[in-house]
Amino acid sequence: MKDVTQLTEGWSLRHEGALLPARVPGCVHTDLLAAQVIPDPFIGRNETEIAWVGRQGWSYVTELTHDSTHERTELVFDGLDTAAEIVLAGDVLGTTRNMHRAHRFDVTGLTGRLEVRFGSAYEEADRVRALTGERPNVYPEPFQYIRKMACSFGWDWGPTVVTAGMWRPVRLEHWSTARLAEVRPLVTVDGATGHVELRLRAERTERGTGRPLTVRATVRGEEVETEGQVSFTGDEAVLRLEVAAPRIWWPRGYGDQPLYELEVTLLDEEEGPLDAWRRRIGFRSVELDRSPDAHGTGCTFVVNGVRIFARGVNWIPDDVLPSRMTPERYRTRLRQAAEANVDLVRVWGGGIYEDDAFYDVCDELGLMVWQDFLFACAAYPEEQPLRGEVEAEARDNVVRLMTHPSLVLWNGNNENLWGFRDWDWEGPLAGDSWGEGYYLGVLPRIVAELDPTRPYTAGSPWSGSWEHHPNDPRHGTHHSWEVWNRQDYAEYRANVPRFVAEFGWQAPPALATLHRALPGEHLAPDSPGMLHHQKAEDGNGKLDRGIARHFPLPEDDFDRWHYLAQVVQARAVAAGIEHWRANWPVCAGTVVWQLNDCWPVSSWAAIDGDGRLKPLYHELRRVYADRLLTLLPGEDGPVLAVDNQSGASWHAQVTLRRFDADGTVLARCVVEVEAAPRSVARSVLPAELLPAPGSSKEFLVADADGLRAVHFPVPDREFAYPPARYDIRLEAVPREGTAVDVVVTARTLVRDLLLQPDRLGPAASADRGLLTLLPGEETRIRLSGCGDLDLDGVERVRAALFSVDPA
């Protein structure tokens, strides 16, 4: 049987003539940080102080020893970042130039000093650029010339931290006769029968050439065990299994997520088992309905025959040093997504193909995965040496990830088809290659060959063909960025895209995150550290304009500015989702930019770089819930939308009240609304419920089944809010340790009340976001992780509470 030796210990990093202890998996930055050679790039403006690290070469060394009786020993790198030369006992084993694929070298009988020499990513990119010629991109860094995590070179939310190192595991594999070189299971379901078509490729030693081998496969699940085998003498075999009445895997909210163990064993008649391979699989069908209709060209996920409104988020690498990611951290972040009622996660094309641990958790939680191939915001040369690397990388990762039932879409690139048409690329390219051959040729061919069970789309955004503009909202996927860049968030309601794959609004991270990242700084929107941790072009200007459209822009009051920026972010994203959900099934999904951050920064994320939840996170939980109550602005006043994405009918008794700003009820009625499963019901409201157009003193509230929607006819800065008054008391939570309930009783209208828990302690968290209370209403906010807060801490809590009217 094949033996595996993990090479995690005994590595050193060469630095200025010395050898520093090194961790594998890891990278130069993590090793230099551990040795206190460099400061933390996340703190202050240290990012610029450590830029030199990415511009020089680095070497890792260890002694390679092994004593195996097997015929062959291979050195396997699951990830080398990026341009590397591997030297053993003074001889070059080979070179690499791709972070996103595995590499394997024959070291049979070889021992001695093993050295992995990493060249500067900048130098490798310059070498390739000299061969291929210049190509445009949206940033000044050369990420399109090297197969490396693009956002290592910085992005409009990320720092420039250009890594190098063995970022994924390294091991020795000892084997004889033959090994499983590739196992490719095509998992489908047809009626009551599950099908597993296993396509296998074996690699043989000289002794094993031509010998009869057997592959045995077993599928195990609850009360299910199916086994089969096939013998072969060549290098490839096909084995088909049928599983009677398998339980079906569903996305979160549509059913359960049963997973089956698939075990494959390679055997030799004389030697017995030679190699084994194990993964979890799930039975489900998926398609992307792109049929033309009266509205344009659709883009709807259909899973197990059920049409789905996708409630999605975009995922970026959760750390700019991705070797620091752990299975536990993946689980935490993805569980947060599921708890926000997300059912789709798009792995964005400027990052990485994530570790299997990421997709394992998605399988378990029912989070559908949209996987970009790794191309983003640039024209990519299609000449060698990149072309061969692109194809090898795609093959590696399609085969590695195709076992996961959560994976529902392969996508060719992020914004490159759009960029070619709109970003002044066509002229400078002057007929040069720019990536179209990858997105419309190489990649769909590889997916069709290796994984025909899943749909492929050429890019995001993409209208489906060059007959339409790539970002035409009427066709395919759409990225909505004009609103954040130039308009008020009300403009999200101007159209109904078929599928909104990107949109979002910025806000700063939590205050405790800022204090950790900017120690000692007097915080202001334009303080040096704040500006350094704002990477978007005119980011603060856009934040200020977004606030000023709705509120008086605070001067010399950072706390107020910080709160209002977070309110506007939450409201903006909610406005888009409420509108687009209400237009289901014309619009079939929204994917918010973005779920997470890779460092502490002002960004579009719902969870900041220290893992703290912004108000946007709680708002996502509301607007992505199965049931959503919305008051949509209309030409003749607000319209009630009852959105039911659950599998059961919703009979809603909606209480509608028109209020005066002082809390007086001016009109009231109850509307009965029936929303069928996976549908939206709209109701025109009685005239007496509508606030007077342009009124600064009237507003409308709709309540049903614990849900609330509000409508104010004018911007907040024009509304006659009474000074906010509310009482606070604290109550201990039995059997919840130090958890405390903050009980707030409103004495006036209180709009967008927010408890910022980190102001009470860096580990504190709250279970609620923005809340609008009417006079006399009471709410409870569960506060956890604030160990020193006793029941007399009311004034501390009051100082951490904010509302639209600050009085």
Side-chain angles (χ1 to χ4, degrees):
M1 191 69 163
K2 180 175 74 177
D3 294 329
V4 176
T5 304
Q6 297 295 335
L7 300 182
T8 58
E9 306 294 332
W11 289 92
S12 298
L13 172 67
R14 293 189 190 277
H15 174 58
E16 294 184 346
L19 292 177
L20 305 178
R23 296 191 64 180
V24 175
C27 73
V28 171
H29 289 82
T30 55
D31 293 329
L32 295 177
L33 280 166
Q36 299 183 330
V37 173
I38 61 171
D40 187 340
F42 290 6
I43 304 302
R45 288 177 282 177
N46 289 343
E47 172 199 353
T48 58
E49 300 299 317
I50 66 157
W52 60 271
V53 175
R55 292 189 175 274
Q56 70 178 53
W58 298 92
S59 289
Y60 284 85
V61 295
T62 191
E63 287 296 322
L64 185 67
T65 61
H66 54 90
D67 183 14
S68 173
T69 59
H70 281 286
E71 291 178 79
R72 187 174 297 179
T73 297
E74 292 177 328
L75 176 62
V76 183
F77 298 94
D78 282 341
L80 290 171
D81 175 16
T82 293
E85 181 180 63
I86 295 85
V87 180
L88 179 58
D91 294 326
V92 177
L93 297 179
T95 59
T96 72
R97 56 168 62 92
N98 193 327
M99 177 182 181
H100 306 302
R101 54 178 293 214
H103 297 87
R104 180 180 294 266
F105 302 96
D106 187 352
V107 294
T108 305
L110 302 178
T111 59
R113 174 60 61 96
L114 174 62
E115 187 165 5
V116 184
R117 301 169 180 168
F118 291 95
S120 162
Y122 285 102
E123 292 180 4
E124 170 68 8
D126 287 344
R127 188 182 70 81
V128 172
R129 176 162 46 192
L131 294 172
T132 64
E134 290 280 349
R135 300 292 193 283
N137 73 11
V138 297
Y139 299 109
E141 300 281 317
F143 60 84
Q144 74 267 47
Y145 304 106
I146 182 169
R147 296 308 300 158
K148 175 177 174 57
M149 184 172 86
C151 62
S152 288
F153 293 93
W155 220 260
D156 57 3
W157 37 256
T160 301
V161 181
V162 181
T163 51
M166 291 168 279
W167 74 292
R168 281 184 166 158
V170 183
R171 63 188 178 274
L172 289 173
E173 292 188 359
H174 315 279
W175 56 281
S176 299
T177 305
R179 72 175 184 91
L180 290 168
E182 181 176 288
V183 180
R184 189 159 53 86
L186 300 174
V187 182
T188 56
V189 62
D190 179 16
T193 304
H195 302 273
V196 181
E197 180 180 288
L198 279 164
R199 295 189 169 269
L200 308 113
R201 181 169 56 84
E203 182 181 0
R204 298 171 180 261
T205 64
E206 185 177 350
R207 189 183 74 183
T209 302
R211 290 178 64 146
L213 299 176
T214 298
V215 170
R216 181 180 301 146
T218 305
V219 176
R220 293 186 180 91
E222 295 180 12
E223 301 179 358
V224 170
E225 181 165 331
T226 301
E227 186 174 282
Q229 67 179 44
V230 65
S231 296
F232 62 105
T233 56
D235 294 335
E236 297 184 351
V238 178
L239 174 58
R240 294 178 175 87
L241 301 175
E242 288 191 355
V243 179
R247 295 181 61 215
I248 302 302
W249 186 95
W250 287 95
R252 186 205 64 78
Y254 288 79
D256 296 331
Q257 292 79 44
L259 298 170
Y260 290 78
E261 296 289 336
L262 172 59
E263 181 175 350
V264 178
T265 306
L266 180 66
L267 305 104
D268 177 80
E269 184 176 328
E270 296 178 9
E271 301 177 34
L274 301 175
D275 199 357
W277 178 97
R278 297 173 184 85
R279 297 289 189 277
R280 293 187 302 179
I281 60 172
F283 292 93
R284 57 101 183 95
S285 66
V286 59
E287 60 181 299
L288 189 64
D289 185 353
R290 291 172 274 198
S291 303
D293 57 26
H295 304 280
T297 308
C299 185
T300 305
F301 284 100
V302 183
V303 180
N304 301 323
V306 176
R307 302 176 71 81
I308 289 176
F309 181 94
R311 291 167 269 185
V313 287
N314 281 275
W315 171 276
I316 65 170
D318 205 54
D319 197 320
V320 76
L321 306 178
S323 62
R324 296 198 293 202
M325 289 299 298
T326 63
E328 295 75 23
R329 186 163 160 185
Y330 278 126
R331 185 170 296 277
T332 295
R333 201 67 72 240
L334 291 168
R335 188 173 293 281
Q336 288 171 323
E339 290 172 353
N341 297 310
V342 167
D343 60 20
L344 181 142
V345 178
R346 176 192 173 208
V347 181
W348 168 76
I352 58 175
Y353 305 99
E354 297 289 345
D355 188 83
D356 279 302
F358 172 94
Y359 305 92
D360 286 341
V361 176
C362 291
D363 292 342
E364 296 167 12
L365 297 180
L367 294 172
M368 296 180 288
V369 176
W370 160 333
Q371 177 67 57
D372 280 13
F373 287 100
L374 300 185
F375 303 89
C377 300
Y380 284 79
E382 297 176 38
E383 292 78 22
Q384 298 293 7
L386 289 179
R387 189 177 186 88
E389 288 295 336
V390 165
E391 178 150 356
E393 166 194 319
R395 288 181 174 277
D396 270 15
N397 287 283
V398 169
V399 171
R400 178 171 73 89
L401 301 180
M402 63 185 290
T403 59
H404 294 282
S406 56
L407 180 58
V408 297
L409 180 69
W410 294 107
N411 176 57
N413 75 88
N414 175 75
E415 298 189 343
N416 296 344
L417 296 161
W418 179 21
F420 179 76
R421 178 56 53 87
D422 271 5
W423 299 348
D424 298 322
W425 290 3
E426 290 190 66
L429 286 168
D432 289 339
S433 67
W434 55 272
E436 183 184 28
Y438 295 146
Y439 320 133
L440 299 178
V442 173
L443 297 175
R445 171 174 55 80
I446 289 173
V447 171
E449 173 193 344
L450 299 179
D451 186 20
T453 68
R454 288 180 178 84
Y456 168 88
T457 186
S460 185
W462 181 233
S463 59
S465 78
W466 288 114
E467 294 180 5
H468 309 290
H469 187 281
N471 200 30
D472 188 332
R474 298 167 299 177
H475 302 277
T477 50
H478 176 68
H479 289 194
S480 178
W481 285 117
E482 282 299 299
V483 174
W484 154 253
N485 284 319
R486 296 174 180 84
Q487 300 170 340
D488 180 54
Y489 62 73
E491 294 304 312
Y492 283 133
R493 306 185 185 106
N495 58 28
V496 181
R498 306 312 303 269
F499 193 107
V500 187
E502 279 190 23
F503 79 108
W505 204 274
Q506 268 203 0
L511 191 69
T513 300
L514 289 172
H515 282 314
R516 188 191 72 82
L518 306 174
E521 179 161 315
H522 177 70
L523 294 177
D526 59 353
S527 61
M530 284 292 294
L531 291 178
H532 186 78
H533 288 246
Q534 165 61 276
K535 296 295 187 179
E537 182 181 1
D538 190 29
N540 274 17
K542 294 170 186 176
L543 283 174
D544 285 349
R545 290 189 290 276
I547 294 171
R549 293 182 184 108
H550 297 268
F551 304 96
L553 189 64
E555 296 183 9
D556 301 322
D557 187 345
F558 180 78
D559 287 347
R560 181 76 178 157
W561 178 89
H562 180 270
Y563 160 75
L564 291 177
Q566 293 199 329
V567 167
V568 172
Q569 180 190 41
R571 284 195 193 176
V573 171
I577 294 174
E578 287 176 336
H579 168 67
W580 294 320
R581 271 191 68 167
N583 281 280
W584 160 260
V586 176
C587 179
T590 56
V591 189
V592 176
W593 188 271
Q594 64 218 60
L595 175 68
N596 58 325
D597 268 326
C598 64
W599 77 313
V601 65
S602 292
S603 84
W604 299 264
I607 304 171
D608 78 16
D610 280 7
R612 294 186 174 92
L613 308 180
K614 294 184 186 179
L616 171 59
Y617 174 86
H618 297 285
E619 199 68 354
L620 283 180
R621 188 170 59 183
R622 179 183 73 85
V623 295
Y624 272 167
D626 283 350
R627 293 177 173 180
L628 177 63
L629 199 65
T630 305
L631 289 168
L632 296 171
E635 292 183 3
D636 300 319
V639 174
L640 176 67
V642 175
D643 188 335
N644 178 26
Q645 290 298 329
S646 75
S649 294
W650 181 17
H651 180 80
Q653 289 187 323
V654 184
T655 300
L656 293 151
R657 289 173 289 175
R658 179 164 59 91
F659 282 92
D660 187 88
D662 65 6
T664 303
V665 178
L666 303 175
R668 180 185 185 279
C669 76
V670 176
V671 176
E672 304 272 345
V673 182
E674 186 78 23
R678 324 288 186 202
S679 72
V680 181
R682 291 173 177 254
S683 295
V684 177
L685 302 181
E688 64 271 18
L689 268 296
L690 302 181
S695 171
S696 63
K697 292 187 177 182
E698 294 184 3
F699 65 101
L700 178 63
V701 177
D703 292 293
D705 298 327
L707 306 180
R708 168 165 289 176
V710 298
H711 171 76
F712 288 74
V714 295
D716 296 76
R717 66 171 182 266
E718 299 174 16
F719 193 79
Y721 286 107
R725 292 189 295 108
Y726 45 85
D727 300 329
I728 304 170
R729 70 179 189 274
L730 306 182
E731 295 183 0
V733 181
R735 297 179 297 279
E736 288 286 337
T738 59
V740 173
D741 275 352
V742 178
V743 184
V744 180
T745 305
R747 299 306 176 195
T748 63
L749 167 66
V750 181
R751 180 91 189 273
D752 282 341
L753 180 73
L754 176 67
L755 174 62
Q756 294 189 350
D758 58 292
R759 291 175 178 269
L760 301 168
S765 61
D767 69 341
R768 310 288 293 277
L770 300 172
L771 300 165
T772 292
L773 301 178
L774 304 174
E777 289 187 334
E778 182 177 281
T779 191
R780 289 176 178 267
I781 305 170
R782 179 67 50 86
L783 183 64
S784 304
C786 196
D788 64 342
L789 183 69
D790 57 33
L791 299 184
D792 296 323
V794 168
E795 291 310 309
R796 285 185 60 200
V797 171
R798 186 177 292 276
L801 281 164
F802 294 79
S803 68
V804 163
D805 185 273

